[in-house]
Amino acid sequence: MKPETNYMESVQAIKQRFEIIGNDPKLNRAVEKAIQVAPTDISVLVTGESGVGKESIPKIIHALSHRKHGKYIAVNCGAIPEGTIDSELFGHEKGSFTGATNTREGYFEVADGGTIFLDEVGELPLTTQVRLLRVLENGEFIKVGSSQVQKTNVRIVAATNVNMFDAIEKGKFREDLFYRLSTVDIMLPPLRERKDDIHLLFRKFASDFAHKYKMPSIKLDDSAVEILLKYRWSGNIRQLRNVAEQISVLETKREISSQTLLSYLPIENPNLPSVIGTKKSESDFSNEREILYKVLFDMKSDLNDLKKLTMELMQNGSSKVQEANKGLIQKIYGKPEENAIFEEEPRVEMLPNQNNLIQEAFEDDDDQNYLFAETVDEEETLSLEAKEIELIKKSLERNKGKRKAAADELGISERTLYRKIKQYDL
Ligand SMILES: Nc1ncnc2c1ncn2[C@@H]1O[C@H](COP(=O)(O)OP(=O)(O)OP(=O)(O)O)[C@@H](O)[C@H]1O
């Protein structure tokens, strides 16, 4: 048997063992590299956008290494507050700061003989980077508040979804540490570059959720599959999984049309029709897709109108505003006799993932061009921010302050949630 056949066999077996779905050549290469470096103690840096599945790589490396009986600790560097990260990683002495009532072992002490996965390593403060460099160079560290040097034998696998060269350029990350961490670089491609895997992953998630929620599996019709493949998936596999779960739970019909799928995909480009308009002659969009974009644009503009109306209602009291906005109310809600305005939720309210409203985009036919939402007027940005803050607050409340659970519920990474908490001072 040829050696490459052997490799492919082990790649397939490892993917099965770690429940990694997909057959993209770049994904296979990443898994293959993980298998190759596992028996060594080489430091590995896993790179790729948020949600591409970076967490599987350090697990593979640990499980196939001589450290497999030692501890494996995954640390999300972006989710730990700057003030406590040194203590978490390296431990502290009793009385070294207010609240340090006992001596505590840090992860580097606990994981002696094992592997530490440093996720979002680019988020480490510079002072922590100095300590980490020392561990990498000679296995030495000092607890916070101590002067005693301790030794540890830990393999480090790090991951990042930020461009480390930018971080180095901006003085946020030490160049020497970067090179120590990235002896081998394992890159995971974004989902939109794994076209053949998108539907496969969706089907797997649909079947998992059907099993979990004890209902028949959802199935996309052809037009929905087309949308699935065209979408940009900025949140990658995490976002795809989230969408599959929401549709599985919320839709009563099991055959999913493109319209239904689209209602679960964040659309937030106020300029969408004009961009599409300019691309129309170059692209091979079918009539159906153009109609769908039109529907989406109409929904978006209805949403904007609704926001304005709601704002006025809140500011001026309802009867005056209803009178003054008869036309608009009719446009959004239909004729008065056809419905009861305030009895029914407007359809746009049902759009999921409103927290991601600004950044998502659809992929254009040209692989390199995506239709980004770059210009959003200030009023809209502010109201989106308010919505985002409200969603985050509610989710944190619901999950009793547990960030991981809240991040999962919101369909964002813990690190992103942590950033937003900091950004909005929540
Ligand atoms: N190939 C895959 N097959 C099945 N599920 C996958 C695959 N890749 C990722 N997932 C799932 O997608 C989700 C996100 O993966 P993961 O947390 O590893 O992403 P990440 O790249 O580490 O993201 P972040 O940078 O935000 O931490 C997880 O639920 C994971 O199980």
Side-chain angles (χ1 to χ4, degrees):
M1 201 181 285
K2 285 187 197 161
E4 61 266 30
T5 318
N6 270 333
Y7 250 134
M8 273 326 282
E9 265 178 14
S10 51
V11 166
Q12 293 306 340
I14 290 298
K15 283 196 301 189
Q16 209 166 357
R17 178 170 159 196
F18 289 86
E19 297 185 344
I20 298 171
I21 312 294
N23 229 341
D24 177 83
K26 283 189 196 145
L27 171 75
N28 286 344
R29 178 66 191 130
V31 174
E32 186 187 12
K33 265 179 148 180
I35 298 170
Q36 287 171 308
V37 296
T40 71
D41 261 345
I42 288 174
S43 331
V44 174
L45 182 68
V46 189
T47 57
E49 291 178 14
S50 184
V52 289
K54 296 189 289 296
E55 273 180 45
S56 312
I57 300 293
K59 285 183 189 155
I60 296 174
I61 293 175
H62 176 72
L64 302 188
S65 75
H66 63 89
R67 298 171 178 272
K68 66 181 174 206
H69 298 300
K71 285 221 161 56
Y72 171 82
I73 298 182
V75 186
N76 187 337
C77 305
I80 304 175
E82 217 172 301
T84 55
I85 193 145
D86 283 355
S87 152
E88 297 253 350
L89 293 177
F90 306 104
H92 63 246
E93 286 297 340
K94 184 176 174 176
S96 54
F97 53 86
T98 320
T101 47
N102 286 307
T103 296
R104 178 187 184 279
E105 286 185 346
Y107 301 137
F108 277 95
E109 193 168 351
V110 176
D112 193 8
T115 308
I116 287 193
F117 170 44
L118 295 176
D119 201 1
E120 313 300 352
V121 74
E123 301 291 320
L124 281 181
L126 282 164
T127 47
T128 312
Q129 291 177 30
V130 178
R131 287 174 181 265
L132 182 58
L133 189 60
R134 188 165 178 187
V135 177
L136 275 158
E137 277 174 347
N138 48 28
E140 288 178 0
F141 71 96
I142 301 176
K143 277 196 173 90
V144 174
S146 167
S147 53
Q148 200 192 332
V149 177
Q150 290 181 246
K151 279 273 198 187
T152 188
N153 175 4
V154 170
R155 184 193 194 153
I156 297 173
V157 180
T160 180
N161 58 26
V162 297
N163 182 332
M164 294 300 273
F165 293 107
D166 271 3
I168 293 168
E169 190 125 304
K170 287 181 187 143
K172 288 185 179 161
F173 205 85
R174 292 180 64 109
E175 193 172 7
D176 46 5
L177 177 61
F178 170 73
Y179 287 110
R180 285 304 304 227
L181 285 172
S182 60
T183 312
V184 168
D185 180 11
I186 297 185
M187 195 281 292
L188 282 169
L191 187 56
R192 64 186 162 280
E193 287 176 16
R194 293 170 54 186
K195 291 280 183 219
D196 291 343
D197 288 347
I198 301 178
H199 194 199
L200 187 68
L201 277 156
F202 189 91
R203 287 201 303 264
K204 163 77 167 79
F205 294 141
S207 139
D208 288 351
F209 291 122
H211 189 70
K212 181 173 173 188
Y213 298 114
K214 299 188 175 41
M215 41 171 66
S217 181
I218 50 164
K219 189 177 176 306
L220 300 178
D221 72 15
D222 290 349
S223 65
V225 172
E226 211 182 317
I227 295 288
L228 192 83
L229 301 185
K230 281 287 175 190
Y231 192 63
R232 191 169 194 274
W233 299 112
S234 308
N236 292 292
I237 300 171
R238 181 180 290 116
Q239 187 189 11
L240 182 76
R241 191 171 181 276
N242 226 11
V243 168
E245 181 164 25
Q246 290 180 51
I247 299 178
S248 299
V249 174
L250 298 175
E251 289 302 317
T252 43
K253 261 180 78 182
R254 301 280 91 185
E255 167 107 355
I256 305 302
S257 67
S258 49
Q259 263 114 330
T260 305
L261 175 61
L262 279 164
S263 72
Y264 286 85
L265 304 178
I267 306 296
E268 47 298 322
N269 189 346
N271 302 322
L272 198 59
S274 59
V275 181
I276 292 206
T278 58
K279 287 271 168 193
K280 197 172 148 192
S281 55
E282 301 156 26
S283 69
D284 60 353
F285 284 168
S286 64
N287 281 342
E288 188 184 10
R289 183 164 318 136
E290 285 181 30
I291 291 164
L292 287 172
Y293 282 135
K294 169 87 175 67
V295 169
L296 283 166
F297 178 65
D298 287 345
M299 279 171 68
K300 178 75 195 174
S301 83
D302 282 354
L303 178 62
N304 286 338
D305 288 342
L306 263 169
K307 280 184 197 160
K308 286 195 185 114
L309 176 60
T310 317
M311 187 71 79
E312 282 200 49
L313 274 167
M314 287 190 300
Q315 285 165 353
N316 304 326
S318 86
S319 56
K320 249 185 3 201
V321 178
Q322 280 191 44
E323 192 48 43
N325 292 284
K326 245 186 193 158
L328 185 55
I329 291 171
Q330 207 157 310
K331 181 182 160 222
I332 297 166
Y333 298 106
K335 290 202 178 103
E337 64 274 17
E338 281 170 11
N339 61 63
I341 294 173
F342 301 109
E343 275 169 26
E344 209 177 28
E345 292 268 17
R347 189 173 156 214
V348 284
E349 293 274 332
M350 295 296 288
L351 278 175
N353 280 350
Q354 299 192 26
N355 51 318
N356 287 336
L357 278 176
I358 303 179
Q359 291 189 343
E360 304 300 336
F362 271 97
E363 187 176 343
D364 191 12
D365 269 6
D366 172 356
D367 247 16
Q368 301 306 312
N369 288 326
Y370 301 99
L371 310 177
F372 285 98
E374 273 164 357
T375 46
V376 180
D377 68 52
E378 206 186 337
E379 185 188 324
E380 185 162 312
T381 311
L382 286 174
S383 67
L384 285 169
E385 267 184 14
K387 188 130 250 166
E388 186 166 71
I389 291 169
E390 191 189 314
L391 281 166
I392 292 174
K393 273 188 180 164
K394 283 201 174 131
S395 178
L396 283 168
E397 267 168 36
R398 258 197 307 277
N399 291 290
K400 304 193 172 53
K402 287 194 187 108
R403 286 186 186 147
K404 176 144 187 21
D408 284 349
E409 183 180 273
L410 292 163
I412 58 177
S413 70
E414 229 180 311
R415 179 191 54 81
T416 305
L417 177 62
Y418 181 66
R419 277 226 195 92
K420 290 195 182 289
I421 290 171
K422 274 209 285 195
Q423 181 189 342
Y424 298 133
D425 203 15
L426 298 176

